[in-house]
Amino acid sequence: GESVGLHLPTLSVQEGDNSIINCAYSNSASDYFIWYKQESGKGPQFIIDIRSNMDKRQGQRVTVLLNKTVKHLSLQIAATQPGDSAVYFCAENKILTGGGNKLTFGTGTQLKVEL
Amino acid sequence: GAGVSQSPSNKVTEKGKDVELRCDPISGHTALYWYRQSLGQGLEFLIYFQGNSAPDKSGLPSDRFSAERTGGSVSTLTIQRTQQEDSAVYLCASSSRTGGSQPQHFGDGTRLSIL
């Protein structure tokens, strides 16, 4: 079956350090993957996505790496800031019959930035 | 506003009552999704609307759950005869197009508590 899971439920980093959040998936049929950030009491906020035909994509202070061989996805945050504290979800996208996208989310990783 | 709007933000009701949750998607977005998020968990897909096509209801947990989308814009999720296990945050998302890498934009959700 399909599943998206995370290696660590909580990650604590010092302000200014780089953060790496990992995600494992089992469904190789997915066409792309998305990282979301969710702050307390808020809805998930899109960070970055990557298509299955890519292995790396960079955004502002964030980089997503995709290793299809071992079905592993990671989110790297450079120079982590207190505002980065949140729960991070990876999500696996599946195209629905009607053409829409169904996201399957992992449990999430709580990132805590220590001053 | 420019984002996805959900109301109410919080809803407390007694077991057995019916509840209606509302979602106003981003203007012009043709795809609309409902998810459920239990405490400390990832998001569970419920239902998807795309234009005038029949909705994908594959994620609805029981026949007590239903949703409609009027005029291709506002959507209402209805839960009949609520049970305590229905307590969760219900999130709505919309996207501009279907297929490919179209990120979903989320509202801040409705926190539903069943007493």
Side-chain angles (χ1 to χ4, degrees):
Chain A
E2 63 178 34
S3 66
V4 179
L6 296 168
H7 291 307
L8 297 173
T10 303
L11 176 65
S12 294
V13 298
Q14 293 290 322
E15 181 180 5
D17 287 351
N18 296 332
S19 302
I20 299 176
I21 301 172
N22 296 304
C23 178
Y25 66 95
S26 61
N27 188 350
S28 58
S30 175
D31 68 325
Y32 80 111
F33 303 85
I34 309 101
W35 282 99
Y36 282 90
K37 171 187 179 183
Q38 187 175 27
E39 296 175 286
S40 180
K42 300 288 187 180
Q45 177 186 3
F46 172 84
I47 301 173
I48 191 168
D49 60 5
I50 186 168
R51 299 187 67 84
S52 58
N53 61 355
M54 302 171 66
D55 54 19
K56 180 179 180 179
R57 190 174 187 199
Q58 289 184 297
Q60 186 177 11
R61 282 201 307 119
V62 295
T63 300
V64 56
L65 299 178
L66 176 62
N67 186 330
K68 293 181 288 295
T69 301
V70 295
K71 296 180 183 177
H72 183 267
L73 189 71
S74 69
L75 177 70
Q76 301 178 5
I77 304 173
T80 312
Q81 302 169 0
D84 294 327
S85 294
V87 176
Y88 289 80
F89 293 95
C90 66
E92 172 186 11
N93 182 73
K94 175 183 176 182
I95 299 293
L96 298 173
T97 302
N101 305 307
K102 175 181 176 180
L103 295 179
T104 301
F105 286 79
T107 307
T109 292
Q110 174 75 56
L111 176 64
K112 296 183 178 179
V113 181
E114 299 172 348
L115 303 178
Chain B
V4 176
S5 178
Q6 292 187 246
S7 61
S9 55
N10 287 280
K11 177 71 175 179
V12 181
T13 192
E14 294 180 345
K15 176 182 174 181
K17 299 288 187 181
D18 297 351
V19 295
E20 285 190 354
L21 312 179
R22 176 187 169 101
C23 172
D24 277 287
I26 293 173
S27 179
H29 279 193
T30 57
L32 185 147
Y33 308 80
W34 282 98
Y35 294 87
R36 178 169 69 175
Q37 185 174 31
S38 299
L39 185 63
Q41 299 295 314
L43 279 71
E44 173 190 9
F45 169 81
L46 296 177
I47 189 170
Y48 151 71
F49 295 90
Q50 169 55 37
N52 296 321
S53 301
D56 183 318
K57 304 179 182 179
S58 60
L60 295 179
S62 77
D63 58 8
R64 295 187 295 105
F65 287 73
S66 63
E68 60 179 25
R69 188 180 184 191
T70 55
S73 179
V74 172
S75 177
T76 301
L77 176 69
T78 301
I79 308 173
Q80 295 178 309
R81 305 180 301 282
T82 52
Q83 303 296 312
Q84 289 186 332
E85 60 262 30
D86 299 333
S87 296
V89 176
Y90 290 81
L91 289 155
C92 175
S94 68
S95 64
S96 59
R97 296 195 304 273
T98 61
S101 56
Q102 301 301 325
Q104 297 177 24
H105 300 270
F106 285 83
D108 287 336
T110 293
R111 183 175 300 277
L112 178 63
S113 299
I114 309 300
L115 302 178

